[in-house]
């Protein structure tokens, strides 16, 4: 066997191993790191056993409820993970965060652009009402109301 063929085979096996490990990680954990696929997962509800996929794991996660806008009191759960009206969500780098009490003048609700760290700090106080637009468990927009 030539050296080139051996290198190609080694690289292919490494790539397949990496993809398999990534697939297992994606199907084993939900967005909050909790295990998915429990008795309340989609396969158990139908009584049929189906192969797991990343989409199945996402559907089975308690954090992936219907997309939309939720309004309520902001609650801190963990760094970058918050909750509004019982609906947990994650903050992404591109999440639009606005509000005077979050990072600006508390006397106004002006459209100040804020950071995730500022939002986390305000959420720890637990007394801010916001409207959050959530898509696939991630906030696209958080606005003080």
């Amino acid at each position: 066997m030539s050296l080139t063929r051996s290198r190609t085979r080694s690289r292919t096996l490494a790539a397949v191993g990496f993809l398999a490990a990534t697939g297992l990680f994606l199907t084993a954990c939900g967005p909050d790191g909790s295990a998915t696929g429990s008795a309340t997962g989609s396969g158990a509800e139908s009584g049929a056993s189906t192969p797991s996929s990343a989409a199945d794991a996402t559907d089975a996660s308690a954090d992936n409820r219907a997309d939309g806008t939720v309004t309520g009191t902001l609650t801190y759960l963990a760094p970058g993970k918050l909750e509004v009206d019982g609906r947990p969500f994650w903050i992404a780098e591109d999440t639009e965060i606005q509000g005077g009490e979050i990072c600006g003048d508390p006397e106004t609700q002006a459209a100040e652009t804020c950071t995730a760290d500022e939002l986390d700090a305000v959420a720890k106080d637990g007394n801010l009402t916001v409207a959050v637009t959530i898509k696939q468990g991630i906030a696209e927009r958080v606005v003080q109301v």
Side-chain angles (χ1 to χ4, degrees):
M1 181 165 25
S2 71
L3 185 59
T4 304
R5 180 181 268 172
S6 179
R7 283 185 186 163
T8 302
R9 184 173 289 164
S10 294
R11 288 180 184 162
T12 301
L13 288 174
V16 168
F18 175 75
L19 291 174
T22 302
L24 288 173
F25 174 75
L26 291 174
T27 60
C29 296
D32 66 350
S34 66
T36 61
S38 65
T40 60
S42 59
E45 291 173 358
S46 66
S49 175
T50 58
S52 292
S53 69
D56 290 340
T58 303
D59 291 342
S61 171
D63 285 347
N64 189 28
R65 298 181 193 158
D67 294 344
T69 302
V70 181
T71 302
T73 302
L74 187 65
T75 305
Y76 178 85
L77 298 176
K81 185 173 184 183
L82 307 171
E83 181 179 72
V84 169
D85 196 32
R87 174 66 165 93
F89 61 91
W90 292 97
I91 299 295
E93 289 181 17
D94 62 344
T95 299
E96 181 183 336
I97 304 169
Q98 295 180 337
E101 288 186 42
I102 299 170
C103 65
D105 181 4
E107 297 297 317
T108 68
Q109 292 182 11
E112 299 276 339
T113 301
C114 307
T115 67
D117 290 337
E118 292 169 324
L119 186 63
D120 278 351
V122 171
K124 288 178 182 178
D125 294 337
N127 60 2
L128 183 67
T129 302
V130 295
V132 183
T133 303
I134 302 170
K135 184 172 182 182
Q136 297 181 343
I138 300 173
E140 291 184 329
R141 186 170 192 215
V142 179
V143 179
Q144 176 186 343
V145 292

